[in-house]
Amino acid sequence: KVDIEGDILRVSYTKKGKEEIKDIHRYHSGIAKRNFNLGWKIARRFDLTKANANMENGLLKILIPFSKAAKPKSLKIQ
């Protein structure tokens, strides 16, 4: 789950319940999936309203474009 709250980008995952079979001995059970809740404060130069997220091959990609208002400005020296 990806949430945007003001200038905070929050990525979280809640593990679904799974029944454990007690009679089976495993040497390896794969990648551990744990709950997590991470948040990052994003600079104003990025436009979070146009953020895009996709999951491909188990990798989450979040693309956040630059804001048009955050372009560098030049001042004329007099």
Side-chain angles (χ1 to χ4, degrees):
K1 180 177 169 183
V2 178
D3 293 322
I4 297 172
E5 304 162 1
D7 60 349
I8 304 292
L9 176 71
R10 185 165 305 283
V11 179
S12 61
Y13 172 77
T14 304
K15 182 179 177 181
K16 297 177 185 174
K18 183 179 172 183
E19 291 184 23
E20 284 288 326
I21 302 172
K22 305 253 179 196
D23 297 335
I24 296 176
H25 177 70
R26 295 184 182 144
Y27 289 106
H28 179 69
S29 63
I31 298 172
K33 294 182 181 176
R34 296 179 182 90
N35 297 341
F36 63 86
N37 187 358
L38 302 169
W40 296 273
K41 184 172 177 149
I42 306 298
R44 291 184 193 153
R45 65 180 178 191
F46 296 99
D47 190 359
L48 285 173
T49 61
K50 296 180 182 176
N52 185 11
N54 67 348
M55 176 82 79
E56 187 176 323
N57 297 327
L59 182 66
L60 177 64
K61 292 183 181 181
I62 302 173
L63 302 173
I64 306 170
F66 284 107
S67 173
K68 301 258 187 224
K71 287 187 178 180
K73 298 177 184 174
S74 299
L75 299 176
K76 185 177 181 182
I77 300 172
Q78 298 179 0

